[in-house]
């Protein structure tokens, strides 16, 4: 019998793969998890990692991910789990991410790498300010950049930044400070040992083990990644570049293909071949039951999850949408998040979300939560675009499912009313939604 590392791939159809993905992503049907904070932990337990982005146009990215899966989701639940209960914490995984606190020791590699980098340069060059800020935090408690008189700006990543803000950020990257809370997008820092359990801070694993865990987290979050894809999929899983003057590591750090081989040999991942998709894909071993469920549903002619297909709007950085190449080849859906694309070059719009209907990606929507007179909020749908084969009014079940998704988004955003596009091409859909 072949070992887990050499087993032949499980062959499945593209339809099977699509159904598997929506089932294991808790989207069959959407918003099916109970209206309670515990559902946030259930999503994080399933996906392992939620990417954080501060833009709040239709909701922050991680809130959109959760609102797609939890009925009546409230963003305060996640904030409490992060900054009050400490069941979650922020760290760099695929970008800044929300992670379960129990996994903190497996993500120290980012802290340790940043600490080596900053101790070789930033903390030496700004030693007096480092000492001042740490002393203030120790003696006076949590601190933000506006609690200290600003200092001259320094070059910091992609732009000049107030020295105080930069050094606090560096201390946070190094794991010396952690986030006590956020005030809007302003970070308030405290000593890591005041925020996180001492036993977790003391627990250590080798760098290879930690990087293998980070690599596994990408497969856990998405569910069907391959060996390649956009560089952002794999950030933090490659060996760190040596600092100037840093001696070479002997033996050299493991490469990503070597770490993938480790995960396959351990049986953590199972290879899958999808009809029409080049190259093997890999399913977390814990998710094989969803492959079986998908096969049983398709054989019985059932809709996803055995329920009438629902509609939800996927966050731009929803793990299901991470692999843009797979969206094109498996779902026939070309998605580019155009928020950083100049307006004149946008094909769709600024903050556009994919529309999922059952196990199909059928269109795009650009919703905005806007402030109105008197402090009330409006959910304004700037535009909708449907795939060529989709007539939203004629598609069975789509209009009521879309109405439910829009109402759920209105409630999530605390909006008192909703405004639909008034252009001629949207009038048939708008009439159908209002009639429903």
């Amino acid at each position: 019998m072949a070992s887990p590392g050499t087993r032949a791939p499980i062959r499945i159809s593209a339809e099977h793969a699509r159904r598997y993905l929506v089932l294991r992503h808790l989207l069959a049907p959407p918003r099916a998890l109970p209206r309670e904070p515990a559902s946030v932990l259930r999503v994080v337990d399933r996906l392992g990692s939620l990417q954080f982005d501060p833009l709040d146009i239709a909701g922050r990215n991680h809130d959109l991910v959760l609102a797609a899966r939890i009925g009546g989701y409230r963003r305060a639940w996640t904030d409490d789990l992060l900054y009050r209960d400490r069941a979650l914490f922020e760290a760099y995984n695929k970008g800044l991410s929300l992670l379960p606190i129990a996994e903190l020791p497996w993500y120290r590699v980012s802290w340790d790498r940043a600490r080596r980098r900053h101790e070789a340069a930033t903390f030496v060059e700004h030693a007096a300010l480092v000492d001042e800020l740490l002393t203030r935090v120790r003696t006076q408690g949590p601190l933000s950049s506006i609690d200290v008189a600003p200092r001259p700006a320094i070059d910091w990543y992609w732009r000049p930044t107030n020295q105080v803000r930069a050094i606090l950020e560096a201390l946070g990257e190094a794991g010396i400070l952690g986030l006590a809370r956020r005030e809007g997008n302003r970070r308030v820092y405290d000593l890591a040992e005041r925020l996180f359990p001492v036993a977790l801070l003391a627990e250590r694993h080798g760098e290879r083990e930690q990087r293998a865990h980070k690599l596994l987290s990408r497969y856990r979050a998405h569910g069907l990644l391959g060996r390649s894809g956009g560089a952002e999929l794999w950030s933090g899983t490659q060996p760190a570049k040596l600092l100037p003057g840093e001696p070479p590591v002997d033996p050299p750090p493991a490469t990503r293909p070597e770490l993938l081989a480790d995960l396959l040999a351990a049986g953590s991942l199972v290879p899958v071949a999808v009809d029409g998709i080049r190259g093997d894909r890999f399913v977390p071993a814990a998710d094989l039951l969803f492959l079986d469920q998908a096969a049983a549903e398709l054989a019985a002619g059932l809709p996803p999850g055995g329920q009438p297909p629902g509609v939800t709007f996927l966050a731009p950085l929803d793990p299901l949408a991470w692999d843009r190449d797979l969206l094109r080849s498996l779902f026939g859906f070309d998605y580019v998040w155009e928020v950083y694309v100049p307006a004149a070059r946008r094909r769709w719009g600024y903050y556009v979300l994919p529309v999922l209907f059952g196990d199909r990606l059928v269109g795009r929507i650009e919703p905005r939560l806007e402030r109105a007179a008197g402090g009330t909020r409006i959910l304004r749908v700037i535009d909708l675009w449907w795939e060529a084969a989709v007539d939203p009014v004629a598609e069975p079940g789509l209009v009521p499912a879309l109405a439910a998704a829009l109402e759920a988004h209105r409630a999530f955003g605390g909006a008192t009313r909703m405004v639909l596009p008034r252009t001629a091409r949207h009038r048939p859909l708008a009439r159908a939604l209002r009639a429903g």
Side-chain angles (χ1 to χ4, degrees):
M1 181 175 177
S3 70
T6 59
R7 65 182 293 174
I10 301 170
R11 181 161 292 281
I12 61 175
S13 68
E15 183 183 25
H16 190 173
R18 289 191 294 269
R19 180 64 59 90
Y20 154 75
L21 281 172
V22 296
L23 286 169
R24 64 91 54 196
H25 271 275
L26 299 163
L27 292 169
R31 299 179 300 280
L33 293 182
R35 180 176 177 162
E36 60 187 16
S39 291
V40 175
L41 297 178
R42 185 171 169 187
V43 174
V44 174
D45 182 63
R46 173 69 59 82
L47 303 180
S49 178
L50 301 181
Q51 202 163 346
F52 179 90
D53 186 88
L55 288 176
D56 196 353
I57 308 301
R60 297 173 299 180
N61 181 79
H62 67 277
D63 290 317
L64 293 173
V65 172
L66 293 163
R69 293 158 171 86
I70 302 170
Y73 168 74
R74 294 292 176 262
R75 58 193 289 165
W77 298 345
T78 305
D79 291 342
D80 287 345
L81 289 167
L82 278 164
Y83 311 124
R84 186 192 67 188
D85 304 332
R86 305 289 171 189
L88 303 174
F89 77 110
E90 294 186 25
Y92 282 90
N93 187 24
K94 182 183 177 290
L96 186 59
S97 300
L98 311 186
L99 301 155
I101 192 67
E103 294 189 17
L104 184 151
W106 297 96
Y107 288 94
R108 291 194 60 96
V109 62
S110 298
W111 288 353
D112 295 342
R113 185 181 301 163
R115 188 163 186 161
R116 289 196 301 269
R117 185 176 75 249
H118 289 312
E119 285 181 342
T122 304
F123 293 163
V124 174
E125 185 177 352
H126 303 281
L129 182 56
V130 169
D131 184 62
E132 176 188 339
L133 294 175
L134 287 178
T135 299
R136 285 195 58 166
V137 174
R138 288 192 191 101
T139 58
Q140 299 177 29
L143 187 73
S144 79
S145 59
I146 65 170
D147 297 325
V148 181
R151 311 297 163 88
I154 59 173
D155 288 337
W156 192 246
Y157 294 117
W158 60 87
R159 67 180 186 275
T161 299
N162 167 22
Q163 209 176 137
V164 172
R165 180 183 178 279
I167 299 307
L168 284 172
E169 186 173 309
L171 290 165
E173 290 174 348
I176 298 168
L177 299 180
L179 283 191
R181 63 184 182 276
R182 285 180 181 267
E183 296 175 351
N185 281 327
R186 183 179 299 115
R187 301 173 183 183
V188 180
Y189 295 92
D190 201 352
L191 296 174
E193 57 263 34
R194 289 177 182 161
L195 301 175
F196 306 124
V198 173
L200 287 179
L201 289 174
E203 186 177 332
R204 292 292 191 275
H205 300 279
E207 182 168 329
R208 181 170 182 142
E209 296 172 284
Q210 291 183 66
R211 287 181 42 240
H213 185 88
K214 291 187 78 169
L215 181 60
L216 178 61
S217 78
R218 309 305 159 87
Y219 291 96
R220 284 173 61 196
H222 183 272
L224 199 62
L225 290 179
R227 298 179 186 274
S228 59
E232 70 280 358
L233 280 174
W234 312 111
S235 60
T237 63
Q238 287 289 90
K241 293 182 179 180
L242 294 177
L243 298 170
E246 187 177 0
V249 178
D250 186 24
T255 62
R256 180 158 51 87
E258 290 171 332
L259 296 177
L260 176 57
D262 289 351
L263 295 173
L264 288 167
S268 302
L269 294 175
V270 176
V272 172
V274 183
D275 292 343
I277 307 297
R278 290 185 60 187
D280 286 345
R281 296 270 156 175
F282 303 97
V283 168
D287 289 348
L288 291 177
L289 72 162
F290 300 115
L291 274 181
D292 294 340
Q293 182 181 347
E297 286 185 0
L298 292 169
L302 296 174
Q307 303 292 324
V311 163
T312 196
F313 313 134
L314 296 181
L317 301 173
D318 191 297
L320 179 57
W322 278 0
D323 190 341
R324 305 295 204 242
D325 292 337
L326 188 65
L327 289 186
R328 283 189 290 271
S329 58
L330 184 61
F331 289 88
F333 190 80
D334 187 16
Y335 179 58
V336 178
W337 190 30
E338 297 180 306
V339 71
Y340 299 114
V341 175
R345 291 171 48 199
R346 288 182 195 134
R347 184 180 177 189
W348 308 110
Y350 177 65
Y351 204 92
V352 173
L353 312 180
V355 178
L356 181 72
F357 178 45
D359 55 8
R360 299 158 53 205
L361 289 168
V362 296
R364 298 162 176 78
I365 186 170
E366 185 175 10
R368 286 191 191 170
L369 292 165
E370 300 177 347
R371 293 285 180 188
T376 60
R377 303 193 88 187
I378 296 172
L379 171 59
R380 186 181 303 278
V381 179
I382 305 298
D383 212 338
L384 283 152
W385 302 265
W386 301 101
E387 293 295 272
V390 177
D391 178 343
V393 177
E395 184 79 32
L398 180 53
V399 168
L402 177 62
L406 287 167
E407 172 57 22
H409 202 90
R410 182 204 61 76
F412 155 70
T416 55
R417 64 190 180 96
M418 185 189 316
V419 178
L420 298 173
R422 292 189 170 91
T423 55
R425 69 185 175 91
H426 292 305
R427 283 176 192 153
L429 177 60
R431 283 195 296 267
L433 288 168
R434 292 190 182 102

